[in-house]
Amino acid sequence: MKNYFLFTFLFFILHHADAFSQFRVGQYNVVWNKQSSMPVESMPLSGSKGYGANVWVENGDIYCYLGSSESYDENGDLLKLGALRIHLDPNPFVSNGIFKQELDLSSGKITITGKSPDRKEAKVSLWYDTQDATFFIKSESLFKTQCKVSFATWRTNPDTVNNDNWDIASRLSVILPDAVEQKGNSILWYHQNDNNRLVVKKMVELQKLTEYSNVIQPFTEDLIFGGMVVGKNMKANGSENIQWLDWKGKAWHLESKSSSKLHEIAIVTKVEKEKSIQVWKKKLTDEACTKFSKIASSEKNSSEWWQSFWNKSNISVNPTANSTDSGWQIGRNYQLFRYMLACNRGRRIPLKFNGGIFNVGALDRSKIESLVNNKDGYWPDLNVMPDYRRWGNMFMGQNQRLIGWPSLATGDFELVTPSLDFYADRLKVAEARSQSYWKHGGAAFVEILSLYGLPCQNLASDHGPITARHLAYHFSMQIEFAWMAIQWSNYSGKSIDAYLPFIESVVRFYDEHYRKENLQRIGKELDEKGKLVLYPMNSLEAFPDVTDPVEVVAGLKKVTEALLKMNDNQIPVSTRKYIAEVSTQIPAINFGLKNGKQIIMPAKIYHEGMNLADFPEMYTVWPYSIFSVGKKIGFEEANNTWENLSEDRAKKALFWESWSCTPIYAALMGRTTDAKRLITEKLSDKNSPSKFSAFFGPGDWIPDFNWGGSGMVGLQSMLLHCDNDLIYILPAWPKEWDVDFKLYAPQQTMVEASVRNGKIVLLKIFPESRRKDVVISPTYVE
């Protein structure tokens, strides 16, 4: 029955889209009339299957950095695929001519047009095929030009790792050079990982897990990544040592055989495990041979895909305003960031929080320093390689979660699964840690993970806990990703089967680990009330050495409740029986008094905090919705907690930059004024240091992906909140802002609404049967 309903829902969306408003995404096109001066002033070109590019024009030439979400080298570092430069002669992009670079969201395409003073005019179009991720470049003009396309890499010699990654790689390993071959009308390049130098092998040895090495997957073993540049009616024209921008390397050139009004270039990229480089090359070459015959259909099909993408879900704030309005900017930047996320369809590894695939090495130091005053000393010199990103190869759970959550309400369910697959694919690694170090079952995923599911080496001990005190027993995020998996199934209607072993194993860890800890400490597995004693633990990074941290207790309650609500055909009888037992042993959320008000405590027992920018008490509001809008118990206490922080902690915990989720918390506590202020800081142009306004930062790097992700969820939460079977409409929407939105809710539900002058003028629910579950904010009830 459930599958039938899902089919009906999808059929409706695909064939009856006219039942909902057609979204005018063109109002948010990004247009530049000046060329750029550095890579941080680039424009993202979003593709699919994890591929994308940074595109900018500098000194009359078009530059592209090619990125992939899975091009990890021997050190577990995510590397760019390389760089391109396109030069036309005569050059329509001379500095004293007319220039325009536009990101057309409706087609997912970047177009660059130029007219020189002598009226030489040309247009260059760049787009990714949404089916196979081929990158196409097409130059059209009314006059004949010569076209020169160059592929370049800075990885020409072995070099030390220049990554702030807190890992063994930064101390013992090097980045190996790429290989480049040039012949005919093509340039082929690749990086083939050396299996004898895989950093994971050393990590397994140092962390004393050699007994379990067979379950620790070397994700970078046999991996080859690279691509092929093919030019229609072009020929190879040598190579040279170059200095592009702020780095030195080598470039290989293709030039048109003769002047022409039309030039077409295809860049076919491939990231794939393959033992034989010859087999890999043949696959790549065979694919490249067919591309030019499909360029017209690719352009058309890709445009149609993007139009469907935008009509699926959208938010427009103050839609009739102009670009100087902060609300309008928020709506635009929300769409731009969703556009960037879309590149990762069809992958199993999530985009990195610290730049995604659009990170750039050289940043404008003056803009950074003006915003952060370089207080923490983490910002590198200006001249760093394009591969660089702050925090390097680390997957920080509190940051990475914000890549997955936004795509539930947008209906982009395929963009959530890489975040879930990352943990599901590494489950046996986390279970091996539990067995090796503590001799019990369950998954022991720590906060700071490497690509391999092991802790990043510089913080890893050889007996289990992390060496840094603020992270030692920080296991909070694994339960949140388990909750995300449940929510993904609730929203999409898809089976939870693939993630059920991960979810059960996470619950089992807390059960078995803390029974054993308590038994060893006081001779009993449970406390006098028959409850687990969750000690020793961290409460996020804020409070070390605590008992019963609030975010873990809240997560366990929500996950076990959700599992027990599942039908018998969704969950095995043995799992249900086990979860039912554990659910009775979860400790309580703790409350206290401050300034005469009852507040939520970060833990049952806690001590002086460390990183007080974390706000664990608010996890009861989001993502776990225990004390959120509509709740009779805990809602007042949540607001009291927000309002009664000490002055010092409030300055840190109520900030809005980077990974901070304060706009979400404010929205789901009905704090409309706070939510409006915080989302304005977060998503408007007010604090943007970049030419492209959705290159949020600086924070964890530019672009800061957890900045955009938390901002997206914040805006969604102001408009729509779903809890159990109820759908809360406009829980924290300011009446002075108009809005149009189309968002998804659990049980395969879609909500569309429009607000004008403080009144709801449109409200559509599909299926209509869900209208009985709608609760409209009292502010908007006539």
Side-chain angles (χ1 to χ4, degrees):
M1 188 67 174
K2 187 172 185 179
N3 289 336
Y4 172 78
F5 184 81
L6 176 60
F7 172 79
T8 305
F9 174 69
L10 294 174
F11 182 85
F12 177 89
I13 298 304
L14 290 172
H15 298 280
H16 298 278
D18 55 344
F20 293 89
S21 302
Q22 293 295 304
F23 176 54
R24 296 184 301 107
V25 72
Q27 65 183 309
Y28 296 133
N29 284 359
V30 179
V31 178
W32 295 343
N33 296 118
K34 291 184 179 180
Q35 297 186 24
S36 300
S37 59
M38 62 183 66
V40 76
E41 295 184 344
S42 60
M43 183 180 281
L45 182 63
S46 184
S48 63
K49 302 186 186 302
Y51 296 104
N54 298 69
V55 178
W56 74 104
V57 180
E58 184 171 348
N59 296 325
D61 288 335
I62 301 171
Y63 287 89
C64 306
Y65 281 161
L66 306 177
S68 162
S69 64
E70 296 191 0
S71 50
Y72 286 88
D73 74 350
E74 297 91 335
N75 308 308
D77 285 324
L78 183 61
L79 304 184
K80 294 281 189 186
L81 294 174
L84 298 175
R85 184 173 71 180
I86 297 96
H87 176 79
L88 297 178
D89 185 22
N91 193 343
F93 306 123
V94 291
S95 59
N96 58 344
I98 298 173
F99 174 81
K100 180 181 178 182
Q101 179 175 343
E102 179 174 8
L103 171 60
D104 178 35
L105 293 170
S106 67
S107 64
K109 181 190 300 182
I110 290 176
T111 57
I112 301 167
T113 55
K115 181 187 291 186
S116 61
D118 59 355
R119 307 185 69 80
K120 294 270 192 309
E121 186 174 359
K123 179 178 77 170
V124 178
S125 304
L126 307 93
W127 74 93
Y128 270 91
D129 188 296
T130 52
Q131 298 301 314
D132 64 9
T134 299
F135 180 22
F136 286 108
I137 302 171
K138 181 170 68 173
S139 171
E140 302 168 281
S141 59
L142 295 176
F143 65 102
K144 291 184 177 182
T145 65
Q146 286 277 5
C147 178
K148 181 179 182 180
V149 57
S150 305
F151 170 80
T153 180
W154 47 94
R155 298 190 295 266
T156 55
N157 295 292
D159 198 2
T160 55
V161 174
N162 183 23
N163 256 349
D164 170 23
N165 59 13
W166 287 12
D167 207 340
I168 187 174
S170 63
R171 296 176 287 128
L172 300 180
S173 301
V174 298
I175 295 179
L176 297 177
D178 298 335
V180 184
E181 300 173 3
Q182 182 184 46
K183 60 183 178 180
N185 71 336
S186 68
I187 302 167
L188 184 150
W189 83 96
Y190 61 90
H191 183 105
Q192 183 178 23
N193 284 348
D194 183 344
N195 290 342
N196 295 319
R197 303 176 67 120
L198 299 182
V199 71
V200 64
K201 296 178 180 179
K202 190 67 174 176
M203 294 171 70
V204 169
E205 176 186 334
L206 291 173
Q207 295 180 30
K208 294 187 177 179
L209 290 167
T210 51
E211 180 184 352
Y212 299 91
S213 58
N214 62 314
V215 302
I216 300 172
Q217 296 185 44
F219 288 92
T220 48
E221 186 175 52
D222 297 330
L223 191 66
I224 307 173
F225 52 88
M228 193 172 190
V229 184
V230 184
K232 192 173 185 180
N233 297 318
M234 302 187 88
K235 61 182 179 180
N237 191 30
S239 62
E240 62 179 327
N241 295 324
I242 50 98
Q243 177 161 350
W244 286 3
L245 314 167
D246 293 303
W247 49 267
K248 294 180 180 179
K250 190 171 182 178
W252 289 258
H253 310 298
L254 295 178
E255 283 192 349
S256 50
K257 294 178 180 178
S258 60
S259 296
S260 176
K261 296 178 181 179
L262 175 67
H263 301 288
E264 294 176 336
I265 302 160
I267 300 94
V268 184
T269 44
K270 181 177 286 294
V271 180
E272 188 176 279
K273 278 179 172 281
E274 176 56 64
K275 291 185 180 297
S276 167
I277 187 60
Q278 298 305 322
V279 172
W280 184 91
K281 286 182 189 179
K282 187 177 187 309
K283 288 181 183 178
L284 180 65
T285 304
D286 289 347
E287 290 176 22
C289 288
T290 66
K291 293 306 171 186
F292 290 119
S293 64
K294 300 178 180 178
I295 189 168
S297 61
S298 168
E299 192 170 8
K300 177 178 180 292
N301 294 340
S302 296
S303 179
E304 290 176 351
W305 186 90
W306 280 107
Q307 290 174 35
S308 174
F309 175 80
W310 295 117
N311 284 326
K312 180 167 58 173
S313 167
N314 45 71
I315 298 175
S316 293
V317 183
N318 293 340
T320 61
N322 60 40
S323 60
T324 64
D325 179 79
S326 60
W328 187 93
Q329 293 169 6
I330 289 166
R332 177 197 58 198
N333 294 339
Y334 172 95
Q335 310 298 341
L336 294 181
F337 190 74
R338 181 177 171 226
Y339 167 80
M340 292 162 64
L341 289 177
C343 71
N344 212 36
R345 291 183 304 115
R347 297 292 87 185
R348 292 192 69 85
I349 297 179
L351 294 168
K352 293 285 275 102
F353 70 94
N354 47 352
I357 61 171
F358 300 114
N359 63 300
V360 291
L363 302 178
D364 185 339
R365 175 173 282 279
S366 65
K367 289 183 179 179
I368 290 173
E369 290 182 341
S370 68
L371 288 173
V372 301
N373 299 316
N374 206 28
K375 288 179 292 188
D376 57 12
Y378 278 115
W379 298 103
D381 293 335
L382 181 62
N383 298 325
V384 294
M385 293 298 100
D387 292 325
Y388 184 88
R389 61 181 75 229
R390 186 184 182 190
W391 306 115
N393 62 14
M394 291 186 284
F395 287 82
M396 299 183 183
Q398 279 182 251
N399 306 73
Q400 289 294 153
R401 67 193 179 118
L402 298 170
I403 312 301
W405 280 119
S407 296
L408 290 177
T410 62
D412 302 320
F413 305 128
E414 71 276 23
L415 299 180
V416 183
T417 52
S419 295
L420 305 178
D421 292 339
F422 183 85
Y423 284 84
D425 290 347
R426 293 153 182 79
L427 176 58
K428 291 188 182 299
V429 179
E431 291 176 336
R433 295 186 72 250
S434 291
Q435 287 290 342
S436 178
Y437 300 140
W438 298 298
K439 310 303 180 190
H440 61 65
F445 284 109
V446 297
E447 164 65 5
I448 296 187
L449 295 172
S450 66
L451 174 68
Y452 312 102
L454 295 168
C456 287
Q457 181 57 43
N458 201 39
L459 294 172
S461 69
D462 60 5
H463 56 283
I466 295 300
T467 56
R469 185 167 178 255
H470 68 294
L471 298 168
Y473 292 94
H474 187 343
F475 299 114
S476 305
M477 287 304 103
Q478 60 179 5
I479 194 67
E480 182 169 338
F481 279 96
W483 176 238
M484 186 188 296
I486 292 170
Q487 290 293 81
W488 168 84
S489 180
N490 288 340
Y491 273 77
S492 67
K494 296 182 180 180
S495 171
I496 195 69
D497 287 355
Y499 303 118
L500 198 56
F502 160 65
I503 297 168
E504 181 179 353
S505 189
V506 166
V507 173
R508 187 174 297 278
F509 169 80
Y510 295 107
D511 176 37
E512 295 193 13
H513 184 81
Y514 288 101
R515 281 175 178 271
K516 188 167 186 177
E517 287 281 350
N518 212 46
L519 181 64
Q520 291 175 343
R521 192 171 57 254
I522 65 172
K524 296 180 180 179
E525 290 187 339
L526 304 172
D527 69 10
E528 64 281 0
K529 296 181 180 179
K531 304 293 185 182
L532 291 168
V533 179
L534 302 175
Y535 174 86
M537 289 208 77
N538 287 67
S539 183
L540 304 181
E541 295 183 25
F543 300 96
D545 199 37
V546 307
T547 302
D548 298 349
V550 64
E551 78 281 5
V552 174
V553 171
L556 285 171
K557 286 181 178 295
K558 292 295 285 191
V559 167
T560 55
E561 286 174 6
L563 290 173
L564 294 175
K565 287 180 181 178
M566 290 182 182
N567 298 327
D568 289 342
N569 61 349
Q570 293 177 283
I571 182 171
V573 173
S574 58
T575 300
R576 181 185 297 280
K577 182 178 179 181
Y578 173 68
I579 295 298
E581 181 182 356
V582 174
S583 69
T584 65
Q585 297 161 359
I586 298 171
I589 293 170
N590 291 277
F591 296 92
L593 284 175
K594 189 167 186 180
N595 300 326
K597 302 284 187 178
Q598 192 169 35
I599 63 169
I600 305 164
M601 305 300 285
K604 181 178 182 179
I605 302 173
Y606 65 101
H607 313 284
E608 183 178 354
M610 297 180 69
N611 180 6
L612 294 180
D614 276 345
F615 201 169
E617 300 95 316
M618 287 296 104
Y619 278 57
T620 60
V621 175
W622 185 83
Y624 299 122
S625 299
I626 295 176
F627 301 147
S628 56
V629 166
K631 297 300 174 66
K632 294 180 180 179
I633 298 175
F635 182 71
E636 181 180 353
E637 287 80 357
N639 277 278
N640 290 344
T641 306
W642 177 287
E643 293 165 2
N644 286 276
L645 294 173
S646 66
E647 182 178 352
D648 178 58
R649 193 171 173 214
K651 286 180 181 179
K652 298 173 181 177
L654 299 184
F655 81 127
W656 47 266
E657 298 175 3
S658 194
W659 47 265
S660 169
C661 294
T662 47
I664 311 173
Y665 305 150
L668 298 187
M669 289 191 292
R671 304 180 68 88
T672 303
T673 300
D674 283 330
K676 179 185 177 183
R677 172 181 57 83
L678 290 164
I679 204 66
T680 300
E681 296 280 6
K682 192 91 168 179
L683 287 187
S684 74
D685 295 351
K686 183 175 181 179
N687 294 289
S688 175
S690 303
K691 191 172 181 179
F692 188 79
S693 57
F695 271 17
F696 304 113
D700 285 319
W701 202 236
I702 297 178
D704 185 331
F705 265 61
N706 46 204
W707 187 312
S710 60
M712 281 187 71
V713 177
L715 187 62
Q716 293 165 355
S717 299
M718 294 171 68
L719 295 165
L720 192 69
H721 173 52
C722 305
D723 182 45
N724 293 326
D725 292 330
L726 296 179
I727 303 171
Y728 294 89
I729 307 289
L730 307 173
W733 193 254
K735 299 196 78 170
E736 60 272 22
W737 275 358
D738 291 345
V739 68
D740 299 319
F741 72 87
K742 186 192 299 183
L743 294 171
Y744 287 69
Q747 301 178 36
Q748 301 87 63
T749 302
M750 181 180 285
V751 178
E752 183 181 10
S754 294
V755 172
R756 294 292 185 272
N757 300 316
K759 294 184 178 181
I760 298 175
V761 297
L762 172 73
L763 178 60
K764 294 181 179 180
I765 311 292
F766 178 82
E768 184 64 27
S769 60
R770 292 298 313 278
R771 191 174 288 271
K772 63 179 173 48
D773 301 322
V774 168
V775 179
I776 298 175
S777 167
T779 304
Y780 288 88
V781 175
E782 294 293 328

